[in-house]
Amino acid sequence: MTERPLPLALRPLDAIGRWAIAVVEALGRFGTFLGQALGTILTPPFKFWAFVDRIHYIGYRSLLIILLTGGFTGMVLGLQVYFTLVRFGSEAYLGPAVALSLIRELGPVLAALMVTGRAGSALTAEIGIMRITEQIDALTVMALSPIRYLVAPSILAGLVTFPLMTALFDAVGIFGGYLVGVELLGLSQGTYFGEMQSFVDLSDIMTGFWKSLSFGVIVTWVCTYKGFNVGHGAEGVAKATTDAVVLSSVLILVWDYFMGSVLP
Amino acid sequence: MIKVERLVKWFDGQQVLHEVDLEVATGSITVIIGRSGGGKTVLLRHLIGLLRPDGGRVLVDGVEVSRLRGRALDEIRKRYGVVFQGGALFDSMTCADNVAFPLREKLHLPGTEVAKRVEAGLAQVGLEGMGP
């Protein structure tokens, strides 16, 4: 029996309905994937060496880019904030301004974006290539869970490395601000660090910590999901990699806003 | 025995398997031949539970593979030996590590036993000395 064609006036509604169902289905698959990964993290056997390997892959290999971007972000902040504060005669507050901007906001966000560009894209490409060359199917057929070997260690490594990368970004950034503010523009060292100590408290550091922790999950979740559900051939891997970086970056910024609104 | 009954599979609105019926008796050798894109791989992927059918069923010794999930499916899969079209070797591992991987992860053999079996396995295909 063939279906009767829809009246012309109802076709846009039909298309919207199909699109909405597809979106809900995709979100469901996305959520189920994270649920499976978290379930796997919490149940033995733990793949310790795969976890160590992922820390090296996501964290250690991103060190250089974190040091470079952290340093220059702090230097730019130091320069711009100094010239703004000078107008109000408040250049003594350069230290806290640089530190608070980095610790609460720029550190977690920029470190996450940098790690996404460096390690997230590589993660998607690696898993995507494993998918199209049937390496993931080979694991499945051996009755070994690909989620346990490929996804869970990456998400766990994201949880560990993102806060560490962020802390490093913040520290190097504050030093970059010091270089410009103190060494270049002549602010006293005591003022830079003394005021910073008075203004920055534990809640600021915890705000940055919670953000970086959640970014660690978001980036590894999105990037492994996209790799796992890659399309066909080299073109599929290229598309998945681009999608992973774009989606991770957008989610980082969106989630940063919500975290910023909720956290003290 | 492997039995396939009225197996149907669609991909993006295109029917790839049209009510396929097949019986493979225990101990027999069966060859599936067909043109490229004809659905041979899709059929095999159903047999090992990598794809779920849109219609029909796959039975292995009377157990319906297409309905199994989790551990029950893993138990059936442990009885399969599959050689994938492109080899599906783990390209991040050495030749020896590829041979050692299932011995370590599935059979949980001790390191010395794994090394011994890897050497023996590699020697069988003329790759002696490629072991750890």
Side-chain angles (χ1 to χ4, degrees):
Chain A
M1 196 173 74
T2 52
E3 236 175 89
R4 268 178 50 201
L6 275 175
L8 204 60
L10 289 178
R11 282 183 196 172
L13 277 178
D14 178 56
I16 292 169
R18 282 176 197 278
W19 175 81
I21 289 169
V23 168
V24 172
E25 267 181 359
L27 285 175
R29 279 196 300 272
F30 197 40
T32 308
F33 184 80
L34 180 65
Q36 278 180 325
L38 295 179
T40 309
I41 287 171
L42 298 172
T43 52
F46 302 106
K47 295 296 160 197
F48 178 74
W49 290 111
F51 165 63
V52 172
D53 176 69
R54 292 293 99 171
I55 287 186
H56 176 263
Y57 192 79
I58 298 169
Y60 178 74
R61 287 195 185 173
S62 306
L63 272 179
L64 185 64
I65 192 108
I66 289 293
L67 292 175
L68 271 174
T69 50
F72 280 100
T73 303
M75 287 167 79
V76 168
L77 265 179
L79 198 65
Q80 296 303 329
V81 174
Y82 180 86
F83 287 120
T84 308
L85 290 174
V86 157
R87 293 183 191 186
F88 307 103
S90 312
E91 61 270 30
Y93 295 111
L94 178 68
V98 169
L100 284 173
S101 310
L102 281 169
I103 290 170
R104 291 186 63 93
E105 207 55 57
L106 292 175
V109 171
L110 290 181
L113 290 175
M114 289 303 130
V115 179
T116 301
R118 218 284 319 155
S121 54
L123 205 59
T124 306
E126 186 189 40
I127 295 177
I129 288 169
M130 288 186 79
R131 166 65 79 196
I132 63 170
T133 55
E134 297 178 314
Q135 293 176 48
I136 290 177
D137 291 338
L139 277 174
T140 309
V141 170
M142 278 193 267
L144 298 171
S145 160
I147 299 259
R148 188 175 299 284
Y149 283 85
L150 303 172
V151 180
S154 300
I155 292 181
L156 206 54
L159 277 170
V160 174
T161 53
F162 273 63
L164 290 173
M165 294 284 112
T166 303
L168 195 66
F169 189 100
D170 292 346
V172 176
I174 288 170
F175 185 69
Y178 165 87
L179 277 183
V180 171
V182 177
E183 300 294 335
L184 202 69
L185 299 169
L187 198 71
S188 95
Q189 186 178 345
T191 309
Y192 185 82
F193 285 113
E195 293 297 335
M196 194 186 295
Q197 214 167 14
S198 321
F199 278 89
V200 180
D201 59 30
L202 188 64
S203 72
D204 298 314
I205 294 169
M206 290 314 288
T207 299
F209 172 75
W210 291 121
K211 281 184 179 180
S212 62
L213 206 64
S214 54
F215 295 156
V217 175
I218 288 171
V219 171
T220 49
W221 171 28
V222 169
C223 293
T224 51
Y225 177 81
K226 287 289 175 186
F228 235 75
N229 294 282
V230 73
H232 299 288
E235 196 186 336
V237 176
K239 186 180 178 308
T241 309
T242 308
D243 287 352
V245 172
V246 171
L247 184 59
S248 298
S249 306
V250 170
L251 284 179
I252 285 168
L253 295 172
V254 171
W255 190 245
D256 179 55
Y257 172 76
F258 285 110
M259 292 283 277
S261 314
V262 172
L263 294 171
Chain B
M1 171 191 258
I2 297 172
K3 199 169 177 187
V4 176
E5 293 177 347
R6 302 172 70 84
L7 196 65
V8 173
K9 187 68 183 177
W10 291 78
F11 285 118
D12 300 326
Q14 190 177 348
Q15 192 169 5
V16 179
L17 298 180
H18 304 255
E19 301 196 356
V20 174
D21 287 305
L22 174 76
E23 266 191 42
V24 182
T26 306
S28 68
I29 295 172
T30 302
V31 179
I32 301 164
I33 299 172
R35 62 182 169 79
S36 177
K40 304 181 293 293
T41 307
V42 173
L43 173 62
L44 291 174
R45 290 171 78 86
H46 279 89
L47 299 188
I48 51 180
L50 284 176
L51 286 175
R52 294 197 175 272
D54 295 323
R57 56 188 194 154
V58 176
L59 298 140
V60 175
D61 289 339
V63 178
E64 194 175 340
V65 176
S66 35
R67 279 182 182 272
L68 296 178
R69 285 177 190 277
R71 282 178 195 277
L73 183 57
D74 284 346
E75 284 307 313
I76 292 275
R77 279 177 177 153
K78 281 179 183 171
R79 299 170 58 192
Y80 285 109
V82 181
V83 178
F84 286 94
Q85 211 159 351
L89 292 171
F90 301 117
D91 48 21
S92 60
M93 295 182 191
T94 63
C95 183
D97 282 340
N98 266 284
V99 182
F101 184 76
L103 300 174
R104 253 195 322 253
E105 300 296 325
K106 267 187 76 177
L107 303 179
H108 306 290
L109 296 177
T112 48
E113 181 63 21
V114 170
K116 213 164 76 182
R117 289 200 190 188
V118 167
E119 257 322 299
L122 291 176
Q124 278 183 342
V125 290
L127 289 172
E128 306 88 328
M130 300 287 279

